[in-house]
Amino acid sequence: MSIKISPSVLTSDFLSLKDDIKKLEVAGTDMLHLDVMDGIFVPNISFGVPVIKSIKKHSTVPLDVHLMIDRPHRYIKEFAEFADVLGFHYEAGSDVAMTLKEIRNLGCKSCLTIKPCTEPEEIFEFLPLCDMVLVMSVEPGFGGQSFMPSALPKLEKLRKEIDRLGLDIDLEVDGGINRETAPLAVKAGANVLVAGNYVFSAEDMSAVIKEIKNLK
Ligand code: DX5
Ligand code: ZN
């Protein structure tokens, strides 16, 4: 399975976002990971629909939108207009099956996300409704945190169940991905890697993107 990278723009300088997006695209990024935070579900506020709408105008790669908002079903329609993959948290207080179905009905790929406190078995029943599953390897809310190794057995269990069910689901990991942790996540079964600080603090963004995509 080829490894895809979805750089998180959360830690970039938003005023140079247009140039950064171009650089990421030239470097061969597969997607752009956009972190939406509401200050309620997570203790931080980032950006919402208007910013994603502008990014959509200027990007040629799929937008991977990670909603960290309370009761996300209230905003699915708005985000679905610009997202390609639309993900929300299992813990955020929406009806999980209904929200996943709505995302697909609106023409987006659906993604169900779990926080470090959630066991993978809790979401097994929803896998047939998911195009992607996202395992958080940090507490959601901030970029630049350290990778939690407890994410690794979760990725393993999810990959095993996805294979057992014969489903075609991307398994994404988000938080603290760098040169050391990326190979561990891939070995555990992840095939989509989010990276924020690692990509944006690199002197050579393109080298970092290639390095991750070449993992096996
Ligand atoms: C955290 C966000 C992440 C974050 C990743 O809540 O979901 O996408 O920006 O940043 P790094 O790679 O720096 O941990
Ligand atoms: Zn994220």
Side-chain angles (χ1 to χ4, degrees):
M1 198 179 245
S2 69
I3 305 304
K4 292 180 244 180
I5 182 156
S6 190
S8 162
V9 303
L10 190 62
T11 45
S12 71
D13 174 352
F14 283 179
L15 287 188
S16 52
L17 202 50
K18 196 174 162 189
D19 293 340
D20 285 342
I21 289 173
K22 280 294 150 257
K23 271 191 224 157
L24 291 168
E25 287 177 354
V26 168
T29 192
D30 298 289
M31 302 184 226
L32 291 175
H33 184 84
L34 305 178
D35 290 302
V36 177
M37 305 178 179
D38 67 351
I40 296 171
F41 181 70
V42 289
N44 196 5
I45 299 177
S46 58
F47 50 79
V49 174
V51 171
I52 296 181
K53 184 178 175 183
S54 300
I55 294 175
K56 184 76 188 169
K57 266 192 238 154
H58 294 288
S59 76
T60 56
V61 293
L63 303 186
D64 165 27
V65 176
H66 175 191
L67 297 180
M68 285 164 271
I69 65 175
D70 182 54
R71 290 167 291 153
H73 64 275
R74 299 174 295 155
Y75 295 100
I76 293 303
K77 240 193 223 123
E78 279 93 326
F79 284 102
E81 211 181 313
F82 309 105
D84 295 277
V85 186
L86 184 53
F88 64 97
H89 272 266
Y90 169 73
E91 308 86 356
S94 289
D95 183 301
V96 174
M98 251 168 54
T99 308
L100 287 168
K101 280 183 204 159
E102 190 189 356
I103 291 172
R104 279 186 168 175
N105 286 340
L106 289 165
C108 289
K109 289 192 171 176
S110 62
C111 174
L112 185 57
T113 303
I114 56 171
K115 295 214 292 185
C117 60
T118 300
E119 290 305 323
E121 290 82 357
E122 292 181 51
I123 64 160
F124 279 2
E125 64 178 294
F126 302 111
L127 290 178
L129 297 172
C130 297
D131 297 300
M132 182 155 87
V133 169
L134 167 55
V135 173
M136 290 305 297
S137 40
V138 296
E139 281 301 335
F142 299 91
Q145 304 181 75
S146 299
F147 182 86
M148 296 166 77
S150 56
L152 297 172
K154 292 185 185 184
L155 291 167
E156 278 167 16
K157 284 180 191 167
L158 280 159
R159 175 56 71 198
K160 208 169 151 199
E161 184 64 6
I162 290 167
D163 289 349
R164 192 185 71 81
L165 296 170
L167 295 168
D168 181 17
I169 299 181
D170 283 321
L171 189 51
E172 182 175 52
V173 62
D174 180 8
I177 291 296
N178 57 33
R179 175 166 292 140
E180 282 75 42
T181 56
L184 303 176
V186 167
K187 204 164 160 244
N191 71 304
V192 182
L193 274 61
V194 175
N197 268 37
Y198 186 43
V199 169
F200 280 92
S201 66
E203 263 178 39
D204 186 352
M205 253 186 194
S206 162
V208 166
I209 288 179
K210 289 197 178 84
E211 170 196 306
I212 289 189
K213 289 181 62 156
N214 285 332
L215 287 169
K216 283 188 181 75

